[in-house]
Amino acid sequence: MRILHTSDWHLGRSFHRVNMLDAQADFITHLVGTVSERGVDAVVVSGDVYDRAVPPLAAVELFDDALHRLAALGVPTVMISGNHDSARRLGVGAGLIGRAGVHLRTAPAACATPVMLSDEHGDVAFYGLPYLEPALVKDEFGVEKAAHEAVLAAAVRRVRDDLATRPAGTRSVVLAHAFVTGGEPSDSERDITVGGVASVPAGIFDGVDYVALGHLHGSQTITERVRYSGSPLPYSFSEAGHRKSMWLVDLGPGGTVDAERIDCPVPRALARLRGTLEDLLADPALAPYEDAWVEATLTDAVRPADPMARLAERFPHTLTLVFAPEHTDADTADSYASRLAGRSDQEIAEDFVAHVRGAAPDPREQRVLRDAFDDVHADEALREIAT
């Protein structure tokens, strides 16, 4: 069975003030074309269809167009909700839409109810595990601690229990939206840390033939059977080195996996340039980046006049400008944003406590901070469901 694995569309999201809707529409066209041209038997979308719980109308219309085009191909599609989606909103009309061959899996309680498809080698069970917010689903899965590993492990146990009731030789595909250990994050993913831990071990999925992951925006192979497709478009300059793609997976008899990357169309390359303003304007080696989206870091000892306007003369798609004078100490030279980049809320809070009183928080205080952040994350999730 040939499966096309994609995720993290983030419909409605912009890129540093640049509206990405046209680029997202081009991706949908590319996706539909790939399904038709490469003989795809099933499409899986592993969460974060939208960028926020209440997406703009234009994003909803694009999603509606994608559903119609996929249904028209007669190729089954399985989708789950991610941490950016409102599971209840995305799942509205799921039963009716499922009759058209587009299967929306947004309810945690239904994670062990598979979409059953068949090929010449037998049945394939597709299990959709939507993003599991630990504080909201721990009672559903009967776990004591609201932690990602605990709830995801409980969900996968249900999957294995169901799979055990299926005929021998039934192959399995699990869609999940999570941070799996070994994955490389970028700046554009929303923090899902709970209890001080965001990641879960890949071994949780042992026994599943293929795991189609979403959440991290870089295409990655955790194991041969556990992969991230990544986002089809860039959403931060930390993704400048990414190759945006989808996985084309052939699931053979006995659960063998053969995977190929299918490149996605991106509107512009990303470039992170660093140097003095005069060097950036004069260096001939930077010519290939003149049509790219640019993040420029200026190292001038004294801030030059009109830097953005002057940069835009050579690099008209410059989107962000950072000042990092080389003569100053690194701790003071870095911008506030750059000093916070890649740090969790917990780490930032602990650093603040240490800065204010001159001593880092002790283990008890760390637990208090962690519990507070977990409560905030859970409250945010509840408010998204209620709105």
Side-chain angles (χ1 to χ4, degrees):
M1 181 170 290
R2 177 160 285 185
I3 302 163
L4 188 62
H5 167 200
T6 178
S7 72
D8 295 273
W9 294 358
H10 288 279
L11 300 182
R13 186 166 185 163
S14 61
F15 180 76
H16 292 277
R17 307 182 308 278
V18 176
N19 189 318
M20 296 289 278
L21 200 65
D22 287 344
Q24 291 169 340
D26 288 343
F27 162 68
I28 296 299
T29 296
H30 171 70
L31 170 72
V32 172
T34 301
V35 172
S36 181
E37 294 163 12
R38 298 300 300 269
V40 171
D41 299 305
V43 177
V44 297
V45 186
S46 299
D48 283 353
V49 173
Y50 292 121
D51 188 57
R52 55 182 185 265
V54 185
L57 179 59
V60 177
E61 290 174 340
L62 180 56
F63 179 58
D64 181 65
D65 177 64
L67 293 183
H68 278 84
R69 294 170 73 179
L70 288 169
L73 293 175
V75 175
T77 299
V78 184
M79 295 184 173
I80 61 172
S81 50
N83 61 302
H84 280 250
D85 299 309
S86 166
R88 291 181 65 183
R89 280 192 173 85
L90 188 63
V92 168
L96 185 61
I97 295 171
R99 297 181 186 179
V102 179
H103 306 277
L104 299 173
R105 291 294 187 261
T106 63
C111 67
T113 303
V115 176
M116 297 300 300
L117 303 177
S118 301
D119 63 9
E120 65 270 25
H121 303 297
D123 292 339
V124 181
F126 288 78
Y127 296 92
L129 277 56
Y131 171 67
L132 303 174
E133 176 63 47
L136 302 183
V137 302
K138 70 181 185 69
D139 292 338
E140 164 64 33
F141 291 105
V143 299
E144 294 183 3
K145 185 179 180 181
H148 287 290
E149 183 173 351
V151 296
L152 190 56
V156 177
R157 281 195 295 272
R158 290 189 183 183
V159 167
R160 290 197 190 94
D161 289 346
D162 179 82
L163 193 57
T165 69
R166 304 287 169 180
T170 299
R171 290 159 290 163
S172 57
V173 175
V174 166
L175 290 72
H177 197 87
F179 185 177
V180 174
T181 304
E184 191 68 33
S186 61
D187 292 344
S188 54
E189 299 119 7
R190 182 184 295 170
D191 181 32
I192 59 171
T193 302
V194 171
V197 179
S199 63
V200 299
I204 277 180
F205 300 104
D206 286 352
V208 176
D209 292 313
Y210 184 73
V211 181
L213 293 174
H215 179 57
L216 299 185
H217 288 182
S219 178
Q220 302 171 59
T221 300
I222 306 300
T223 72
E224 286 303 305
R225 298 184 180 277
V226 181
R227 298 172 187 262
Y228 283 99
S229 66
S231 62
L233 293 166
Y235 294 113
S236 74
F237 276 102
S238 66
E239 301 170 55
H242 288 187
R243 174 186 164 193
K244 295 302 181 182
S245 57
M246 304 177 285
W247 286 111
L248 188 67
V249 178
D250 287 323
L251 188 62
T256 60
V257 171
D258 184 20
E260 173 190 352
R261 287 179 73 177
I262 304 294
D263 289 330
C264 295
V266 294
R268 294 185 191 280
L270 305 186
R272 307 183 96 169
L273 308 183
R274 183 184 183 92
T276 66
L277 178 59
E278 294 305 324
D279 286 345
L280 296 185
L281 295 177
D283 189 350
L286 301 182
Y289 307 119
E290 290 175 356
D291 194 46
W293 281 321
V294 169
E295 176 192 72
T297 300
L298 298 185
T299 60
D300 301 77
V302 177
R303 183 172 300 199
D306 300 321
M308 182 62 91
R310 294 170 65 188
L311 276 171
E313 291 179 3
R314 184 179 187 190
F315 306 103
H317 305 290
T318 301
L319 299 180
T320 66
L321 187 58
V322 179
F323 294 96
E326 289 186 338
H327 75 285
T328 59
D329 183 81
D331 289 338
T332 58
D334 290 341
S335 69
Y336 181 71
S338 65
R339 281 185 278 128
L340 298 186
R343 301 183 65 75
S344 69
D345 293 340
Q346 177 85 13
E347 290 170 330
I348 293 169
E350 290 180 8
D351 286 350
F352 176 76
V353 172
H355 173 74
V356 169
R357 75 177 185 192
D362 60 31
R364 182 188 65 80
E365 292 168 330
Q366 290 175 342
R367 287 194 296 273
V368 170
L369 287 170
R370 185 177 301 123
D371 290 344
F373 283 120
D374 288 351
D375 288 344
V376 169
H377 292 154
D379 183 63
E380 288 176 345
L382 285 169
R383 281 190 282 108
E384 284 192 354
I385 289 174
T387 57

